[in-house]
């Protein structure tokens, strides 16, 4: 999930973008295709589809199939939530009549629980120490629309410590990009950290410095703990 920087600024200042996301849809993440794994367990006249989540946070998985002379034991497409480091039996497909049958199945997934409801009693702290200017808030006209409507931007010097806004577990880190900015050309080039929370929601911190991430996947962090440094 990529968010572009929404601001124009001088070379000494760059925005930190903090986004609180309640995941309600499934989106394919091509870079992470080996993190939720599908298996088939065949039997005479059918097959079981099993899903394994190797991630340190809950994942939502959408399974679909095109069937010929076969039927599924539940309506498709079907949506599943899988706990961290857990596996489930998802679907059983069986042949209807003797003879040839065909199964063409697919799945896609994303971090987070599609059934998640944000805990409104939780207060997010600002993701830094000190005071910096808020440059775009919720429903900001430049870029904070749709699923990004709850994003907020702060402008700060490059290299400023970025802190966790809430307790959670690190689910994704990217910090190998050397360039970034508000241009659409940089849309898929954001250094970021994603942290999952107990209520199944996620917070995403983007526009971090090249090699500026200070946490690793699976690490538990506390609100206020330094997790990275701001960048471009």
């Amino acid at each position: 999930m990529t968010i572009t920087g929404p601001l124009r600024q001088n070379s000494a200042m760059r925005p930190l973008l903090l986004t609180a996301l309640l995941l309600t849809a499934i989106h394919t993440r091509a870079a992470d295709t080996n993190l939720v794994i599908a298996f088939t367990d065949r039997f005479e006249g059918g097959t079981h589809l099993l899903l394994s989540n190797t991630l340190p946070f809950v994942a939502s998985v959408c399974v679909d199939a095109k069937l010929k002379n076969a039927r599924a034991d539940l309506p498709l497409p079907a949506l599943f939530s899988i706990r961290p480091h857990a596996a489930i039996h998802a679907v059983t497909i069986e042949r209807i009549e003797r003879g040839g049958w065909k199964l063409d199945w697919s799945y896609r997934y994303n971090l987070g629980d599609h059934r998640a409801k944000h805990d409104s009693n939780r207060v997010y702290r600002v993701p830094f120490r000190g005071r910096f200017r808020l440059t775009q808030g919720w429903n900001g006209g430049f870029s904070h629309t749709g699923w990004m409507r709850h994003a907020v931007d702060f402008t700060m010097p490059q290299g400023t410590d970025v802190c966790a806004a809430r307790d959670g577990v690190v689910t994704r880190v990217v910090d190998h990009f050397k360039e970034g900015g508000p241009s659409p050309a940089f849309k898929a080039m954001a250094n970021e950290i994603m942290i999952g929370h107990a209520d199944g929601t996620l917070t995403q911190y983007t526009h971090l410095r090249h090699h500026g991430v200070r946490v690793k996947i699976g690490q538990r962090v506390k609100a206020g703990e330094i997790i990275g440094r701001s960048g471009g």
Side-chain angles (χ1 to χ4, degrees), residues 14 19 35 50 58 60-61 72 125 146 228:
R14 291 293 186 270
T19 307
L35 300 180
L50 313 173
V58 61
S60 292
V61 187
R125 57 160 292 153

Side-chain angles (χ1 to χ4, degrees), residues 134-151:
L134 175 69
T135 50
Q136 187 180 190
W138 287 13
N139 299 302
F142 187 90
S143 60
H144 294 175
T145 59
W147 66 269
M148 281 183 58
R149 63 189 178 278
H150 292 147

Side-chain angles (χ1 to χ4, degrees), residues 5-27:
L7 304 173
R8 294 185 179 91
Q9 60 280 319
N10 61 44
S11 60
M13 305 291 284
R14 291 293 186 270
L16 164 70
L17 179 58
L18 167 67
T19 307
L21 299 177
L22 173 62
L23 297 188
T24 56
I26 301 300
H27 301 281

Side-chain angles (χ1 to χ4, degrees), residues 79-111:
L79 203 52
F80 303 92
S81 291
I82 310 177
R83 293 181 293 104
H85 305 296
I88 65 167
H89 170 272
V91 184
T92 297
I93 307 292
E94 293 186 279
R95 181 178 59 199
I96 298 175
E97 299 177 350
R98 289 188 174 274
W101 64 288
K102 185 177 181 181
L103 161 63
D104 182 12
W105 61 270
S106 62
Y107 74 104
R108 50 200 174 105
Y109 73 92
N110 207 350
L111 289 168

Side-chain angles (χ1 to χ4, degrees), residues 40-210:
T40 55
D41 180 14
R42 297 180 179 275
F43 59 91
E44 180 65 28
T47 186
H48 302 295
L49 177 61
L50 313 173
L51 298 170
S52 175
N53 178 17
T54 68
L55 295 158
F57 192 63
V58 61
S60 292
V61 187
C62 183
V63 175
D64 203 358
K66 295 180 181 179
L67 306 174
K68 182 178 180 180
N69 191 29
R71 61 187 165 213
D73 63 347
L74 51 77
L76 297 176
L79 203 52
F80 303 92
S81 291
I82 310 177
R83 293 181 293 104
H85 305 296
I88 65 167
H89 170 272
V91 184
T92 297
I93 307 292
E94 293 186 279
R95 181 178 59 199
I96 298 175
E97 299 177 350
R98 289 188 174 274
W101 64 288
K102 185 177 181 181
L103 161 63
D104 182 12
W105 61 270
S106 62
Y107 74 104
R108 50 200 174 105
Y109 73 92
N110 207 350
L111 289 168
D113 190 336
H114 66 279
R115 305 164 301 179
K117 294 183 179 180
H118 179 256
D119 182 354
S120 59
N121 294 319
R122 293 290 181 178
V123 177
Y124 289 77
R125 57 160 292 153
V126 293
F128 47 78
R129 296 167 182 171
R131 300 179 67 178
F132 297 101
R133 186 164 63 96
L134 175 69
T135 50
Q136 187 180 190
W138 287 13
N139 299 302
F142 187 90
S143 60
H144 294 175
T145 59
W147 66 269
M148 281 183 58
R149 63 189 178 278
H150 292 147
V152 291
D153 297 344
F154 300 94
T155 300
M156 61 186 60
Q158 291 192 52
T160 299
D161 287 340
V162 177
C163 304
R166 182 179 169 186
D167 297 355
V169 59
V170 178
T171 61
R172 176 175 167 83
V173 297
V174 177
D175 73 347
H176 61 274
F177 292 114
K178 296 181 179 180
E179 298 179 299
S183 168
F186 297 114
K187 185 175 182 179
M189 299 172 62
N191 294 318
E192 66 179 22
I193 298 169
M194 191 175 289
I195 296 176
H197 309 298
D199 58 8
T201 62
L202 297 153
T203 302
Q204 186 175 19
Y205 307 75
T206 68
H207 302 300
L208 304 178
R209 185 173 236 175
H210 175 236

